[in-house]
Amino acid sequence: MNGNRYKSTIILYDTLISIITITAFLHYVSADDATIMAALAKSLSSHPSGWVGPKPCKWQGVDCDSSGKISSISLPSMSLTGQIPSNLNQLSNLKSLHLQNNFLSGPLPSLSNLASLQDVNLDGNNFSSVPRDFLSGLTSLQTFSINNNSNLPPWIIPETLKDSTSLVSFNAGKANLVGQIPDIFGSFPSLQNLRLSYNNLTGSLPLSFSNSGIQNLLLNNQMMGLSGTIDVLRTMSQLTEVWLHVNKFSGPIPDLSSCRELYDIQLRDNFLTGVIPESFTKLPKLKTAMLQNNVFQGPQPGFSNGVQVNLGTSNNFCNPSPGPCDPQVTTLLEVAGALDYPMVLAQSWKGNNPCQNWIHISCDVKGSVTVINFAKQNWFGTISPAISNLTEIKTILLNDNNLTSTIPDSLTSLKQLQLLDVSNNNLSGKIPKFSSGVTLKTTGNTYIGIDLPPNSPPGSTSKGANNQSRAKNGTNSSLSAWVIVVSVVAAILVVLALCYAKKRSAKYKWVNGSELGNSEKENEARKNVKSTSTSETPIRSSSEKIDYHVYDGGNIMIPIEVLREVTNSFSENNILGRGGFGVVYRGQLHDGTRIAVKRMESNILSNKGMNEFKAEIEVLTKVRHRNLVALHGFCDNGNERLLVYEYMPQGSLGQHLFHWDESGLMPLTWNQRVTIALDVARGVEYLHSLAQQSFIHRDLKPTNILLGDDMRAKVSDFGLVRSAPDGKYSVETRLAGTFGYLAPEYAATGRVTTKVDVFAFGVVLMEIITGRKALEDSLPDDQTHLVPWFRRLIQYKDSVRASLDPTLQTDEETFSSIWQVAELAGYCTAREAQQRPDMSHVVNALSPLVDHWKPTLEEEESFGVDFNMSLPQALQKWKANEDTPSSSSMFTSDFYNSSN
Ligand SMILES: Nc1ncnc2c1ncn2[C@@H]1O[C@H](COP(=O)(O)OP(=O)(O)O)[C@@H](O)[C@H]1O
Ligand SMILES: *[C@@H]1O[C@H](CO)[C@@H](O)[C@H](O)[C@H]1NC(C)=O
Ligand SMILES: *[C@@H]1O[C@H](CO)[C@@H](O)[C@H](O)[C@H]1NC(C)=O
Ligand SMILES: *[C@@H]1O[C@H](CO)[C@@H](O)[C@H](O)[C@H]1NC(C)=O
């Protein structure tokens, strides 16, 4: 009995306690928050210990405010799995949410309208979807971080983020962001950190960055690449660290002199051009500047001693060490600078002599620039007054661009000037007074000749402009008729000019555009034409004759007489080599430019030869790259067909590998060999992916790899290139190429993909390592074919060591490099095309072997930098392959670490 009563007392007592607890609990935390927390506990499949019972304010990692509502949830690195319930945003007083470095999956919780939320960290989880109103109404948000959530579907940075006017940090590296960076940065007066590396953001830097207080701007390694200029950095005076590497930014480095706190700037692997401004090298706090793999020009920048700099080897500085460029180079760069340093110029204008194959520039025999031909480039910008420093210039063609501002007065001082064509631009202002010897073309510039008083609307013509504007109106009213007339006249002129060119004897100097105007008669004619120049009749165009033979570094039809002359009538002494389609001769133009003339044997010019010939011209006109041999021009003279190439003084890789002894050459060192391999890989990578269109070489081999005096290599002989259709699907084509280098699937089916070149490249690597030819009939049967023999070798390091080219001197370090190349050669020649790496992988694998530079600073940030990356495109392909362990183990794959 007693016992019973005792028991019921206990029960009563328990009930009482419960009631008290519940009452207290009701006071302590609102029922809503408790329900949500219970749901959260339930939805985490492994919730933290202690997450039971009705008092969430007491739970581990949970805090409540004085009103008893949940203010903070902090569960970092607890190996949590499961999901976050979608109603988390009903925790109306939540200030801080830390769930980083767990295994949370499922949809991200909507955080919308959590007006107290200040601090969110969701880094390093496995969330798989983004709710639509994820980040709206977060009016107190200060730091937001969602790095390293690569399982998210592609999502865009929501514009609604601009409600978060107190934002200090926004971090979303490797979170699958796509689309543009929204232009909302006028809304964040306190923003200091914006870290969006390793996503697929595209478009340009938003203008609202300007005057923002961002200090830490990390936008590196976007898959497709951010593009446009980096001009906006100029006004971002708080910047300390700027990572823009591995993107597609273009244009010059702006004046960064107001960024006085900047200490770390990473610009490598973009398409930046222009002269590196002194304001940049003199930044007071600068510690690290990575500039490699761009197309910078001008003097090598000199940084002070404490600065860690990488300029790489692929920028086009005028000299190999700091110091001023040749005055003509300085001037031309200033001219290019007024056009924001166009990419084509940056790629072609190498070295310190504008007379050596600079595109759009021609020179006279004495090495003075006589022609600038920037016609029809659609360039924007202005005409630099510095042109007047090119005192020997005769022809300046700037027509059909989008140039603004005025014609500089300084041009009137040019004594030799004969033609200045600025027609069809947006130039304005008064036309300077040129001497009577100058033909001036200014039509198609709406506001030119109108000497506007400052700030008056362009429409009120002043007296002096009457002629001009009348001509203008006439042009506009019958535009289409004009187009027809002009095209017909132009066509006739082309025909005339070509005939004329053929008739001209060996005296013809085809590099020098003005030569055609030499005779007195022509000068007379031109003067007469000039006097009627404002009337704009088609007759006036007769002076255009002089334009047609302007050699501008582009392609040109070259008369056979010229080629005969420069090769001394195709003399035996000038033979450089013989190839499948004919003999290659050496020649020298009047301006000193050395060329190689490839003369097709006439009996070989069946349809096949002709098709190759045309294919080669067509492709080479589109393709320009520092690792591809440039085509200067061609000649098609009935049954003679010739191609004129840039001269490669050191001949072919084949000679240096296999015939060095009989040619009196030194055998190549290992360093030279890897450097050559990387050059070739870059050239082929460009063919595959960087040209506007994708191309497959199809005949890669050592005789098609040519060397310059610096022993840097360029790929040649595109006669067999067939343009790959979009998306690089395989095309079935007639079998072409050379035995020993043919990929098995190509030999068997004739189906071509870019992987055919990868295979051939692998064979070349094997030749570089062993010094043996792809096919060597003199060897025993099991060694005749290099590929199967070598692939057997690479199963054992020692057998590779025993089969190296005997001329290679190998210490351990060298052998380790050789071994890596040997493995790469193995991958490249995999039987299955899909198992071969892309050319961009190959570039990545080879670059560290060539470029010995290593960073010495410890990484401070959470985004590890991979200094081996060489091209923006590489990442895209790399990432596409990241999941296949075989390919990622081949290359540095640990490029992104999350740590906090
Ligand atoms: N641009 C060049 N500059 C210097 N030498 C060249 C050039 N082009 C070709 N040669 C020489 O002529 C040889 C034959 O060239 P090519 O006809 O292109 O070879 P193939 O038909 O075997 O591919 C090359 O191996 C090289 O020695
Ligand atoms: C992430 O989630 C996906 C399903 O969405 C699953 O297949 C994968 O294994 C998860 N990864 C980790 C590391 O938990
Ligand atoms: C990156 O985004 C672009 C569209 O902007 C898309 O075409 C491309 O497929 C994306 N790349 C990857 C790897 O997701
Ligand atoms: C052009 O010449 C003038 C005077 O000779 C000189 O001051 C100026 O720096 C030169 N400009 C360039 C771009 O070379």
Side-chain angles (χ1 to χ4, degrees):
M1 206 43 207
N2 267 356
N4 267 349
R5 199 163 66 230
Y6 183 64
K7 256 185 200 158
S8 47
T9 313
I10 296 241
I11 289 169
L12 186 66
Y13 180 73
D14 266 9
T15 315
L16 263 175
I17 294 277
S18 298
I19 290 168
I20 291 165
T21 313
I22 288 169
T23 319
F25 166 76
L26 280 177
H27 277 276
Y28 196 36
V29 56
S30 81
D32 280 352
D33 279 12
T35 320
I36 295 157
M37 290 305 286
L40 175 60
K42 199 164 156 217
S43 151
L44 295 174
S45 36
S46 59
H47 54 71
S49 59
W51 271 46
V52 283
K55 295 184 194 171
C57 290
K58 294 257 164 80
W59 292 356
Q60 180 194 354
V62 178
D63 277 324
C64 294
D65 60 17
S66 54
S67 69
K69 295 193 52 100
I70 305 290
S71 62
S72 155
I73 301 173
S74 178
L75 301 169
S77 307
M78 299 188 67
S79 305
L80 300 178
T81 56
Q83 307 198 352
I84 308 296
S86 62
N87 62 356
L88 192 79
N89 66 342
Q90 289 171 24
L91 294 172
S92 55
N93 286 16
L94 192 64
K95 261 176 132 165
S96 126
L97 179 65
H98 286 255
L99 299 173
Q100 67 267 32
N101 301 325
N102 286 296
F103 302 97
L104 299 172
S105 55
L108 283 163
S110 169
L111 302 175
S112 67
N113 302 318
L114 283 171
S116 306
L117 193 60
Q118 292 178 355
D119 191 11
V120 177
N121 192 335
L122 303 169
D123 288 355
N125 279 292
N126 193 22
F127 293 110
S128 58
S129 70
V130 185
R132 245 189 328 154
D133 53 356
F134 182 44
L135 297 178
S136 60
L138 298 178
T139 47
S140 303
L141 191 65
Q142 292 174 9
T143 63
F144 177 83
S145 198
I146 194 166
N147 293 318
N148 219 357
N149 269 277
S150 49
N151 199 30
L152 286 173
W155 61 297
I156 57 174
I157 301 175
E159 292 257 349
T160 51
L161 187 64
K162 69 172 183 288
D163 302 341
S164 309
T165 51
S166 309
L167 199 63
V168 175
S169 292
F170 188 85
N171 304 327
K174 208 178 188 190
N176 245 338
L177 285 170
V178 294
Q180 309 214 349
I181 304 174
D183 203 4
I184 54 178
F185 294 87
S187 312
F188 312 123
S190 318
L191 187 64
Q192 293 177 2
N193 308 306
L194 183 65
R195 303 180 177 116
L196 304 172
S197 311
Y198 292 97
N199 283 297
N200 188 9
L201 294 167
T202 50
S204 51
L205 298 180
L207 284 179
S208 53
F209 272 174
S210 101
N211 304 316
S212 87
I214 298 178
Q215 298 170 4
N216 199 254
L217 180 66
L218 310 189
L219 302 173
N220 52 294
N221 295 78
Q222 303 300 324
M223 279 180 213
M224 298 275 291
L226 289 161
S227 53
T229 71
I230 58 170
D231 221 37
V232 72
L233 300 186
R234 195 167 44 86
T235 51
M236 299 176 72
S237 57
Q238 308 299 309
L239 288 172
T240 57
E241 206 169 9
V242 180
W243 290 10
L244 301 179
H245 48 284
V246 195
N247 275 297
K248 288 183 182 147
F249 290 113
S250 55
I253 299 182
D255 176 358
L256 295 179
S257 50
S258 61
C259 306
R260 301 190 62 80
E261 303 300 315
L262 189 60
Y263 68 88
D264 178 10
I265 182 160
Q266 308 269 345
L267 299 174
R268 67 186 173 89
D269 296 282
N270 277 292
F271 299 111
L272 297 173
T273 56
V275 176
I276 295 180
E278 220 170 84
S279 59
F280 178 71
T281 59
K282 297 228 160 94
L283 283 171
K285 300 240 168 108
L286 196 63
K287 283 277 163 301
T288 315
M290 296 299 135
L291 304 172
Q292 65 271 38
N293 293 318
N294 282 291
V295 235
F296 291 121
Q297 299 157 278
Q300 266 220 26
F303 290 86
S304 60
N305 271 343
V307 186
Q308 186 171 26
V309 181
N310 191 335
L311 299 171
T313 52
S314 54
N315 284 309
N316 287 337
F317 298 118
C318 63
N319 286 315
S321 53
C325 303
D326 174 87
Q328 291 202 107
V329 171
T330 309
T331 301
L332 285 170
L333 288 176
E334 202 159 314
V335 174
L339 304 165
D340 246 3
Y341 300 105
M343 192 63 186
V344 271
L345 300 187
Q347 283 176 334
S348 155
W349 288 11
K350 299 174 192 175
N352 207 10
N353 182 356
C355 302
Q356 282 187 350
N357 296 326
W358 280 29
I359 194 170
H360 302 316
I361 299 298
S362 307
C363 297
D364 62 15
V365 206
K366 284 176 259 146
S368 303
V369 173
T370 53
V371 179
I372 291 181
N373 182 358
F374 292 166
K376 299 185 183 158
Q377 300 295 324
N378 284 319
W379 286 339
F380 288 81
T382 61
I383 305 174
S384 167
I387 294 185
S388 65
N389 283 20
L390 299 168
T391 52
E392 299 304 309
I393 201 153
K394 293 175 179 163
T395 306
I396 305 174
L397 305 181
L398 304 171
N399 52 294
D400 300 278
N401 286 293
N402 303 301
L403 305 180
T404 51
S405 191
T406 57
I407 303 176
D409 278 326
S410 65
L411 301 196
T412 57
S413 69
L414 288 167
K415 297 252 162 32
Q416 305 300 323
L417 190 62
Q418 294 169 358
L419 172 65
L420 172 62
D421 187 347
V422 295
S423 49
N424 303 318
N425 281 293
N426 289 319
L427 295 166
S428 57
K430 84 172 194 293
I431 303 175
K433 225 174 147 31
F434 287 91
S435 77
S436 61
V438 179
T439 304
L440 181 64
K441 300 188 184 185
T442 60
T443 50
N445 288 281
T446 311
Y447 300 122
I448 202 154
I450 304 172
D451 192 7
L452 295 174
N455 298 328
S456 82
S460 54
T461 47
S462 76
K463 214 165 140 204
N466 278 346
N467 276 351
Q468 287 290 334
S469 49
R470 218 185 311 129
K472 187 84 220 163
N473 291 342
T475 309
N476 285 341
S477 58
S478 54
L479 189 65
S480 50
W482 268 97
V483 170
I484 294 168
V485 170
V486 169
S487 348
V488 169
V489 170
I492 293 170
L493 282 171
V494 171
V495 172
L496 285 178
L498 290 177
C499 296
Y500 184 66
K502 282 194 180 169
K503 262 191 265 158
R504 273 193 83 98
S505 72
K507 268 191 294 178
Y508 179 96
K509 295 179 184 176
W510 65 281
V511 261
N512 192 334
S514 59
E515 290 304 320
L516 286 174
N518 257 356
S519 77
E520 285 306 332
K521 241 193 212 157
E522 276 165 6
N523 277 338
E524 264 323 297
R526 190 140 21 87
K527 272 183 197 148
N528 292 338
V529 163
K530 162 122 198 325
S531 62
T532 62
S533 66
T534 44
S535 70
E536 286 301 309
T537 57
I539 296 162
R540 189 182 162 232
S541 306
S542 64
S543 68
E544 270 170 26
K545 221 197 280 177
I546 63 170
D547 298 2
Y548 281 102
H549 293 272
V550 171
Y551 175 70
D552 66 354
N555 299 293
I556 189 171
M557 280 267 244
I558 301 159
I560 183 78
E561 291 82 6
V562 174
L563 297 181
R564 259 203 208 110
E565 190 202 349
V566 300
T567 59
N568 196 7
S569 298
F570 302 108
S571 128
E572 286 280 320
N573 295 335
N574 284 331
I575 293 183
L576 284 169
R578 289 170 206 273
F581 293 102
V583 183
V584 183
Y585 297 87
R586 136 189 36 227
Q588 183 152 27
L589 299 173
H590 290 269
D591 71 338
T593 310
R594 296 195 292 174
I595 55 171
V597 182
K598 188 175 191 178
R599 188 189 200 190
M600 310 288 192
E601 256 140 45
S602 40
N603 58 353
I604 241 169
L605 273 175
S606 57
N607 275 344
K608 181 169 184 242
M610 199 51 214
N611 289 342
E612 312 292 8
F613 181 69
K614 285 190 175 143
E616 182 145 7
I617 293 170
E618 198 178 305
V619 169
L620 277 186
T621 55
K622 293 182 186 156
V623 167
R624 268 180 201 280
H625 186 269
R626 64 176 80 89
N627 298 120
L628 300 175
V629 175
L631 178 66
H632 286 320
F634 68 99
C635 175
D636 176 3
N637 175 44
N639 48 8
E640 281 243 68
R641 266 129 202 153
L642 304 102
L643 289 167
V644 178
Y645 287 103
E646 161 183 19
Y647 175 68
M648 297 296 290
Q650 291 298 328
S652 74
L653 174 63
Q655 268 163 297
H656 286 262
L657 272 186
F658 309 125
H659 308 290
W660 55 274
D661 204 5
E662 64 245 50
S663 317
L665 300 165
M666 291 292 287
L668 294 170
T669 66
W670 179 248
N671 266 336
Q672 286 173 321
R673 293 179 200 219
V674 249
T675 308
I676 290 166
L678 179 58
D679 286 339
V680 173
R682 287 212 161 105
V684 177
E685 182 198 33
Y686 175 84
L687 278 179
H688 286 180
S689 57
L690 293 187
Q692 298 96 321
Q693 240 179 312
S694 184
F695 295 107
I696 301 170
H697 186 291
R698 299 210 298 171
D699 197 16
L700 200 58
K701 57 180 177 180
T703 52
N704 284 334
I705 296 167
L706 301 178
L707 300 170
D709 273 328
D710 49 2
M711 297 307 274
R712 300 301 299 264
K714 299 189 188 206
V715 178
S716 155
D717 206 351
F718 299 87
L720 302 173
V721 171
R722 198 58 50 86
S723 170
D726 288 349
K728 293 166 217 158
Y729 299 118
S730 66
V731 249
E732 285 176 39
T733 49
R734 215 167 11 82
L735 197 60
T738 304
F739 286 108
Y741 303 86
L742 297 183
E745 79 279 4
Y746 180 38
T749 66
R751 289 171 72 79
V752 180
T753 63
T754 51
K755 296 296 175 70
V756 164
D757 288 344
V758 177
F759 185 94
F761 181 79
V763 182
V764 174
L765 290 182
M766 292 175 184
E767 296 181 306
I768 281 176
I769 294 169
T770 60
R772 285 196 194 180
K773 290 186 180 169
L775 263 182
E776 194 94 72
D777 290 327
S778 60
L779 288 172
D781 275 353
D782 65 328
Q783 295 185 22
T784 318
H785 294 275
L786 180 60
V787 175
W789 174 70
F790 191 89
R791 286 177 61 82
R792 281 196 300 277
L793 281 187
I794 50 175
Q795 294 169 18
Y796 309 99
K797 265 194 185 181
D798 281 338
S799 45
V800 170
R801 205 190 296 267
S803 311
L804 299 180
D805 186 334
T807 66
L808 284 175
Q809 320 224 313
T810 51
D811 51 27
E812 266 319 299
E813 195 191 346
T814 310
F815 183 72
S816 123
S817 167
I818 293 175
W819 174 246
Q820 287 177 65
V821 176
E823 281 193 304
L824 181 63
Y827 292 119
C828 289
T829 52
R831 236 195 129 65
E832 300 297 329
Q834 319 86 278
Q835 287 178 0
R836 294 174 211 146
D838 278 333
M839 228 45 213
S840 48
H841 288 101
V842 172
V843 170
N844 283 329
L846 288 172
S847 341
L849 303 180
V850 171
D851 198 358
H852 281 294
W853 182 86
K854 286 275 182 317
T856 52
L857 282 180
E858 283 298 310
E859 297 297 337
E860 289 166 16
E861 258 304 326
S862 55
F863 308 110
V865 197
D866 171 31
F867 289 96
N868 303 330
M869 290 285 291
S870 74
L871 280 160
Q873 280 69 19
L875 182 78
Q876 189 179 350
K877 288 170 189 153
W878 182 350
K879 289 209 123 180
N881 286 326
E882 209 192 339
D883 300 333
T884 46
S886 63
S887 65
S888 56
S889 62
M890 217 170 110
F891 309 106
T892 332
S893 59
D894 188 21
F895 61 92
Y896 186 94
N897 312 305
S898 175
S899 59
N900 250 347

